[in-house]
């Protein structure tokens, strides 16, 4: 390895010679890897793309200090560090590039050796990374400036009139199209104010600088109207494009009255049928908001007519009319009538009418009838004279007879007593004048019934288009049923309150476990650390007996640490604090993970045959790879623990919607009684002679954690086993991440 001074000198030379940031970064990365024995080196420009920064890197940026983890494990502090560990790395160093907490770059270095990054290496890498990091960011900014300049040079060659304007309103540059419209040479406009050519006051210019489109008349020709849009280049310069909208504005003013029509909507299309303007009533006609249909091509919305745009090219000065189904989203299509003609501004004018109105009315009527039939309330339709016309199913059940049996019968005959008949007749007379009556109490009689039915009724009057009464709807709710419903509602509310109370107590217990487990980690870490120092002879040489006792302390401390970590996992899962880091995961490649390879070696050393079998048609799944590894390690570890001879097979198959994983062993098996309790927290199999082998005590949490992780993925987990015949633990993971259900569409129409 060359000296640090020599390496620094070489990097300064490389920085001067490198033409691009990519070249500089590549050479710097190779130098660092070669001279410091680093296995992975990544530098990110935070200003350029902050979205690529992960949580561990963000922590280092926020603190402004290097972050070191020289003992990566599956219990490291950040998900990224766990992923690095699963990829085979043992040490990680994250360096912010910049001063204090104002980092503009972040560097991540990884090594496959433990305790790689000490203070001396940290100082050398920190100094070197900051020096080269500054240079990388400077080169990146220069390249960005060059790209911006090239972009505006290309933009100025377009046919759109464009200007460069400084913060004071002075014109700096104009393209050929702008000079033609303004009828000026470049010398005549440079240095002049934009207000010399357009009727823009200071307030309008301020709005233009803030990115708001402004409409202004031209001073050279007061009859023309222009639309001005701007884009900020820097604090001192902006880019302005302007369009002649004189004809467009006249046409829009001529169509304002159509905004209030309930029969047709109006749209302006460009030459490619893109909607550049739509009347406000388009949402009533097409059930689409004005903002949603604007800037979409009408030819893309027309369903089943791919030649629509070509047909418009042929219309010339004539008017083109056609029936069309328009897609309004969520697989909903509307029957429409389109009237299209070429306008004077280079595009098309289009009038749209909705042919779905009659279908919509019929569908609504059918929907109302269905709702009436499915209602739990008794609903009876009577004519203006009080004779029964129709009854829903609930009314038939209440009256204990069919509609055909009572059709044409006066509804008043269903009243159980004269008082109820009088009250009903008065209520119908009142409803005829006022439209409705509520909270009417009557006693009804059912066919074959011996006791009257106390009911609460509401009466709604049906009018025709001339305001004449054509009938009534009588809605009856049996009070006995109502009282039962109220009692059930009271019971449900009491149960809900009790459940909320139990949930609160459970949350408190979970939080207590979470807090106490965290508190136990610190002294236990100290015990492990000092024990290791003693074993290494830092406090004097130990005899064999002392070393044996110390090994017991270290083993028990490690077992206790694993127990605490598992309890923390259970607490996090129970409280919903764990969020999955979903990625596309290949289960075939997952079998090559270091944690699983270590278990394969343990199984082989025990004399067991191990097989990882993935069917050819198993696709990648959306899952958290680190959590999946946690499940595999637990299931395979249990299989090894309870199997003396034979084999362990991990078989993964495609079940169309799910991927199924089976972990099968030839071990001692599980009894029916134990299978019922197997996935409960802290449950451990009893040490029954000839049925189980307990090589070291577990925590009783592993399978519980596995099932929670699988449930979190949207899958299921179970076991198939018999004593003395081995076991198969299985779980499923959905192939695709399940999305939340979208709200159903309001317009139930589709293409025929």
């Amino acid at each position: 390895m060359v000296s640090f001074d020599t390496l620094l000198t070489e990097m300064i030379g490389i920085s001067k010679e490198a033409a691009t940031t990519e070249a500089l970064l590549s050479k710097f990365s190779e130098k660092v890897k070669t001279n410091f024995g680093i296995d992975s080196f990544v530098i990110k420009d935070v200003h350029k793309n902050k979205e690529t920064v992960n949580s561990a890197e963000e922590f280092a940026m926020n603190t402004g200090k290097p972050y070191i983890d020289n003992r990566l494990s599956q219990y490291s502090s950040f998900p990224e560090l766990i992923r690095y560990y699963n990829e085979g790395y043992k040490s990680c160093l994250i360096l912010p590039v910049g001063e204090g907490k104002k980092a503009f770059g972040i560097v991540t270095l990884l090594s496959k050796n433990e305790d790689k990054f000490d203070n001396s290496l940290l100082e050398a890498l920190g100094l070197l990374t900051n020096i080269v990091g500054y240079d990388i960011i400077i080169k990146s900014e220069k390249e960005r400036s060059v790209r911006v300049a090239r972009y505006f040079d290309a933009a100025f060659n377009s046919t759109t009139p464009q200007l460069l304007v400084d913060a004071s309103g002075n014109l700096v540059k104009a393209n050929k199209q702008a000079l033609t419209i303004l009828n000026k040479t470049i010398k005549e406009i440079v240095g002049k104010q934009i207000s010399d050519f357009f009727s823009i006051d200071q307030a309008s210019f301020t709005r233009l600088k803030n990115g708001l489109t402004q409409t202004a008349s031209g001073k050279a020709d007061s009859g023309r109207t222009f639309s001005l849009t701007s884009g900020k280049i820097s604090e001192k310069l902006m880019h302005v494009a302007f369009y002649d909208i004189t004809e467009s504005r006249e046409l829009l003013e001529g169509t304002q009255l159509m905004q209030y029509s309930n029969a047709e909507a109006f749209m302006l299309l460009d030459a490619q049928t893109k909607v550049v303007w739509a009347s406000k009533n388009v949402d009533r006609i097409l059930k689409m908001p004005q903002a949603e249909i604007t800037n979409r091509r009408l030819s893309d919305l027309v369903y089943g007519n791919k030649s629509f745009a070509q047909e418009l090219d042929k219309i010339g000065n004539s008017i083109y009319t056609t029936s069309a189904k328009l897609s309004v989203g969520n697989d909903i299509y509307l029957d429409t009538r389109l009237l299209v003609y070429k306008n004077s501004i280079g595009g098309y004018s289009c009038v749209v009418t909705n042919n779905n109105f009659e279908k919509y009315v019929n569908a609504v009527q059918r929907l109302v009838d269905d709702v009436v039939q499915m209602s739990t309330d008794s609903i009876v339709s009577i004519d203006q004279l009080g004779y029964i016309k129709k009854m829903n199913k609930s009314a038939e059940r209440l009256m204990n007879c069919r509609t055909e049996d009572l059709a044409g019968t006066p509804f008043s005959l269903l009243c159980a007593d004269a008082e109820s008949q009088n009250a009903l007749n008065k209520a119908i007379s009142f409803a005829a004048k006022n439209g409705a009556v509520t909270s009417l109490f009557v006693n009804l009689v059912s066919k074959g019934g011996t006791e009257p039915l106390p009911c609460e009724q509401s009466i709604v009057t049906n009018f025709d288009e001339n305001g004449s009464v054509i009938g009534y709807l009588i809605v009856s709710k049996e009070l006995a049923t109502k009282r039962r419903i109220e009692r059930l509602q009271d019971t449900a509310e009491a149960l809900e309150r009790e459940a909320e109370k139990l949930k609160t107590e459970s949350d408190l217990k979970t939080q207590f476990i979470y807090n106490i487990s965290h508190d136990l980690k610190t002294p236990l870490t100290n015990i492990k650390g000092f024990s290791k120092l003693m074993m290494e002879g830092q406090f004097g040489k130990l005899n064999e007996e002392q070393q044996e006792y110390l090994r017991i302390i270290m083993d028990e401390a490690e077992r206790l640490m694993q127990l605490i970590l598992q309890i923390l996992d259970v607490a996090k899962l129970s409280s919903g604090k764990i969020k999955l880091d979903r990625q596309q995961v290949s289960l075939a490649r997952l079998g090559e993970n270091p944690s699983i390879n270590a278990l394969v070696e343990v199984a082989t050393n025990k004399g067991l045959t191990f097989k990882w079998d993935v069917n050819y048609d198993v696709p990648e799944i959306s899952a958290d790879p680190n959590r999946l590894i946690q499940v595999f390690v637990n299931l395979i570890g249990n299989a090894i623990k309870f199997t003396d001879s034979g084999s362990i097979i991990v078989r993964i198959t495609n079940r169309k919607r799910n991927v199924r994983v089976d972990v099968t062993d030839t071990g001692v098996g599980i009894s029916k009684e134990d299978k019922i309790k197997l996935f409960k927290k802290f449950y451990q199999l009893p040490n029954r002679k000839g049925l189980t082998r307990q090589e070291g005590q577990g925590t009783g949490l592993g399978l519980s954690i596995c099932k929670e992780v699988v449930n979190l993925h949207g899958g299921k987990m179970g076991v198939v086993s018999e004593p003395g015949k081995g076991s198969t633990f299985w779980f499923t993971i959905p192939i695709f991440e399940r999305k939340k259900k979208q709200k159903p569409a309001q317009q139930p129409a589709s293409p025929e």
Side-chain angles (χ1 to χ4, degrees):
M1 184 180 76
V2 300
S3 67
F4 177 74
D5 292 340
T6 303
L7 180 61
L8 183 59
T9 303
E10 290 179 0
M11 287 312 306
I12 293 174
I14 291 172
S15 177
K16 293 180 180 178
E17 295 172 0
T20 64
T21 56
E22 287 77 9
L24 175 57
L25 180 57
S26 176
K27 292 182 179 181
F28 179 49
S29 175
E30 289 304 317
K31 282 288 182 182
V32 171
K33 289 180 180 179
T34 302
N35 287 275
F36 293 100
I38 305 300
D39 295 300
S40 175
F41 174 94
V42 178
I43 185 168
K44 297 178 182 177
D45 181 352
V46 177
H47 286 303
K48 189 175 182 181
N49 190 357
K50 200 168 184 178
E51 294 180 357
T52 62
V53 176
N54 60 46
S55 56
E57 293 167 342
E58 187 174 9
F59 176 78
M61 287 170 49
N62 291 337
T63 59
K65 297 178 181 179
Y67 180 85
I68 300 176
D69 189 338
N70 276 322
R71 295 293 179 91
L72 294 177
S73 71
Q74 60 180 332
Y75 302 105
S76 293
S77 303
F78 297 97
E80 297 78 25
L81 304 186
I82 298 174
R83 178 168 59 82
Y84 297 152
Y85 168 73
N86 289 327
E87 292 172 357
Y89 296 106
K90 301 295 180 63
S91 300
C92 173
L93 169 63
I94 302 176
L95 288 170
V97 181
E99 296 183 5
K101 297 183 180 180
K102 297 181 179 179
F104 55 80
I106 195 78
V107 178
T108 301
L109 303 100
L110 301 171
S111 173
K112 295 185 178 180
N113 298 319
E114 290 187 349
D115 301 320
K116 176 66 179 178
F117 301 106
D118 54 20
N119 288 333
S120 59
L121 186 59
L122 173 62
E123 291 177 1
L125 287 172
L127 177 59
L128 192 62
T129 301
N130 269 283
I131 292 173
V132 178
Y134 274 106
D135 203 12
I136 288 174
I137 301 304
I138 291 171
K139 286 183 182 294
S140 177
E141 288 299 317
K142 287 183 178 178
E143 291 170 4
R144 177 179 174 276
S145 299
V146 170
R147 287 195 299 270
V148 171
R150 289 174 179 171
Y151 165 76
F152 281 107
D153 285 343
F156 262 56
N157 291 326
S158 72
T159 57
T160 302
Q162 298 174 67
L163 307 167
L164 288 182
V165 184
D166 67 18
S168 301
N170 294 316
L171 300 183
V172 177
K173 190 176 180 180
N175 68 351
K176 292 181 181 179
Q177 190 69 14
L179 294 175
T180 300
I181 292 177
L182 298 178
N183 196 23
K184 300 289 181 181
T185 65
I186 189 67
K187 291 183 179 179
E188 290 175 324
I189 70 154
V190 172
K192 295 290 184 67
Q193 285 278 313
I194 191 173
S195 57
D196 293 336
F197 303 97
F198 301 97
S199 56
I200 293 180
D201 56 20
Q202 187 59 42
S204 298
F205 181 68
T206 300
R207 289 193 292 271
L208 185 64
K209 285 199 299 182
N210 292 331
L212 299 177
T213 300
Q214 299 298 301
T215 301
S217 60
K219 290 192 174 181
D221 185 351
S222 58
R224 312 305 294 175
T225 303
F226 297 92
S227 175
L228 287 78
T229 61
S230 70
K232 186 177 180 181
I233 301 175
S234 66
E235 294 297 330
K236 297 182 179 179
L237 193 64
M238 67 177 174
H239 170 256
V240 177
F242 60 95
Y243 309 87
D244 190 333
I245 60 170
T246 307
E247 286 81 5
S248 175
R249 190 172 186 180
E250 291 172 354
L251 186 57
L252 292 178
E253 291 174 352
T255 59
Q256 290 302 309
L257 290 177
M258 299 192 74
Q259 304 273 53
Y260 307 99
S261 172
N262 290 320
E264 60 274 322
F266 186 80
M267 296 185 292
L268 289 179
L269 318 177
D270 66 8
Q272 286 73 43
T273 76
K274 184 175 75 173
V275 180
V276 296
W277 181 87
S279 56
K280 291 181 180 179
N281 65 336
V282 73
D283 60 337
R284 296 199 301 272
I285 307 302
L286 299 182
K287 312 304 177 187
M288 294 179 70
Q290 184 185 37
E292 187 174 321
I293 197 172
T294 305
N295 293 325
R296 297 182 65 180
R297 286 162 53 100
L298 184 62
S299 55
D300 293 337
L301 298 177
V302 175
Y303 178 80
N305 188 352
K306 297 182 179 179
S307 61
F308 177 73
Q310 289 77 6
E311 292 173 2
L312 291 186
D313 287 336
K314 303 174 184 177
I315 64 175
N317 294 324
S318 61
I319 296 177
Y320 173 72
T321 60
T322 183
S323 296
K325 291 183 179 295
L326 293 188
S327 171
V328 295
N330 294 329
D331 293 330
I332 297 175
Y333 301 85
L334 292 181
D335 285 326
T336 62
R337 187 78 178 169
L338 303 179
L339 184 151
V340 187
Y341 60 92
K342 283 189 175 180
N343 56 37
S344 61
I345 57 175
Y348 302 94
S349 299
C350 178
V351 178
V352 187
T353 58
N354 190 344
N355 287 347
N356 257 2
F357 183 72
E358 184 175 349
K359 291 182 179 180
Y360 179 73
V361 170
N362 292 335
V364 170
Q365 184 61 51
R366 288 195 300 271
L367 183 62
V368 171
D369 291 342
D370 290 342
V371 170
V372 168
Q373 283 298 323
M374 297 301 294
S375 174
T376 57
D377 291 333
S378 166
I379 302 178
V380 179
S381 173
I382 63 175
D383 62 18
Q384 67 271 32
L385 299 177
Y387 290 91
I388 296 174
K389 295 193 300 182
K390 197 172 182 181
M391 300 167 60
N392 71 348
K393 293 179 181 179
S394 295
E396 290 180 344
R397 287 193 294 270
L398 182 67
M399 299 295 113
N400 194 26
C401 58
R402 297 177 301 172
T403 299
E404 294 80 3
D405 299 331
L406 293 177
T409 301
F411 185 83
S412 58
L413 294 181
L414 298 180
C415 293
D417 49 57
E419 185 179 351
S420 296
Q421 285 185 353
N422 292 333
L424 177 66
N425 292 333
K426 289 180 181 179
I428 291 176
S429 299
F430 185 85
K433 298 178 181 179
N434 298 281
V437 171
T438 60
S439 301
L440 172 67
F441 296 96
V442 298
N443 291 318
L444 299 181
V445 62
S446 66
K447 183 178 180 181
T450 57
E451 295 183 1
L453 301 173
C455 295
E456 179 184 359
Q457 289 186 339
S458 297
I459 301 175
V460 180
T461 307
N462 292 330
F463 298 95
D464 63 12
E465 62 273 13
N466 299 318
S468 300
V469 176
I470 59 175
Y472 306 90
L473 281 181
I474 300 178
V475 182
S476 304
K477 184 183 291 289
E478 186 185 357
L479 292 180
T481 303
K482 183 179 179 182
R483 286 194 293 269
R484 287 197 297 271
I485 292 173
E486 289 174 349
R487 285 197 297 270
L488 289 174
Q489 287 176 340
D490 291 340
T491 303
E493 290 173 0
L495 290 173
E496 186 176 350
R497 289 193 296 271
E498 182 65 23
E500 185 65 29
K501 179 182 177 182
L502 292 174
K503 182 180 182 302
T504 302
E505 292 176 355
S506 176
D507 290 345
L508 289 173
K509 291 176 183 177
T510 300
Q511 188 62 41
F512 174 75
I513 293 172
Y514 187 78
N515 292 340
I516 200 68
S517 299
H518 261 294
D519 291 341
L520 287 172
K521 281 179 66 178
T522 301
L524 193 56
T525 302
N526 292 336
I527 291 172
K528 290 176 62 179
F530 284 114
S531 297
K532 183 177 180 182
L533 291 175
M534 291 177 67
M535 183 64 77
E536 293 172 351
Q538 297 293 326
F539 304 108
K541 188 174 181 181
L542 304 176
N543 58 39
E544 291 185 4
E545 184 178 6
Q546 290 171 331
Q547 290 180 1
E548 180 62 25
Y549 290 150
L550 196 55
R551 272 193 291 271
I552 293 173
I553 292 173
M554 294 175 68
D555 290 343
E556 292 301 314
E558 179 61 29
R559 196 173 76 83
L560 186 55
M561 178 63 79
Q562 294 304 317
L563 173 61
I564 290 171
L565 293 175
Q566 285 192 329
I567 290 174
L568 281 173
D569 257 357
V570 170
K572 289 178 182 178
L573 287 165
S574 299
S575 62
K577 290 184 178 180
I578 287 183
K579 292 185 179 179
L580 297 179
D581 179 19
R582 285 188 181 269
Q583 304 173 25
Q584 288 302 111
V585 177
S586 167
L587 292 173
R589 289 197 295 269
L590 202 68
E592 303 168 1
N593 183 268
S595 299
I596 294 176
N597 286 336
L599 288 173
V600 175
E601 185 177 349
V602 173
T604 304
N605 292 338
K606 196 175 179 180
L608 303 175
T609 302
F610 186 91
K611 185 177 181 182
W612 185 278
D613 182 15
V614 183
N615 275 19
Y616 72 94
D617 61 344
V618 172
E620 290 187 344
I621 61 174
S622 174
D624 186 330
N626 296 311
R627 290 294 173 184
L628 279 189
I629 290 168
Q630 186 179 9
V631 175
F632 276 114
V633 167
N634 194 289
L635 296 182
I636 297 171
N638 282 347
I640 294 171
K641 182 177 179 182
F642 294 105
T643 304
D644 279 341
S645 62
S647 63
I648 296 172
I649 300 175
V650 178
R651 182 171 288 106
I652 304 173
T653 54
N654 183 356
R655 298 296 177 92
K656 293 184 179 180
R657 294 184 179 180
N658 301 306
V659 167
R660 172 162 172 148
V661 178
D662 293 273
V663 180
T664 304
D665 63 57
T666 57
V668 294
I670 306 168
S671 68
K672 183 178 179 180
E673 300 80 31
D674 290 328
K675 282 193 292 184
I676 297 173
K677 307 174 184 177
L678 197 59
F679 293 100
K680 292 184 178 180
K681 296 181 180 69
F682 300 105
Y683 180 76
Q684 299 181 40
L685 289 174
N687 188 9
R688 297 174 183 172
K689 187 175 181 181
L691 293 181
T692 63
R693 294 181 59 85
Q694 298 283 359
E695 298 176 2
Q697 288 291 324
T699 62
L701 292 173
L703 289 178
S704 172
I705 292 173
C706 288
K707 190 163 187 178
E708 290 282 0
V709 170
V710 171
N711 290 342
L712 205 58
H713 280 85
K716 297 181 180 179
M717 190 173 193
V719 62
V720 178
S721 181
E722 289 185 30
K725 295 185 179 180
S727 304
T728 296
F729 282 84
W730 61 267
F731 66 89
T732 61
I733 300 291
I735 293 175
F736 300 103
E737 183 178 358
R738 293 176 181 173
K739 303 293 184 183
K740 292 182 178 178
K741 291 184 179 179
Q742 295 182 348
K743 293 182 178 179
Q746 296 180 355
Q747 179 67 26
S750 60
E752 297 176 355

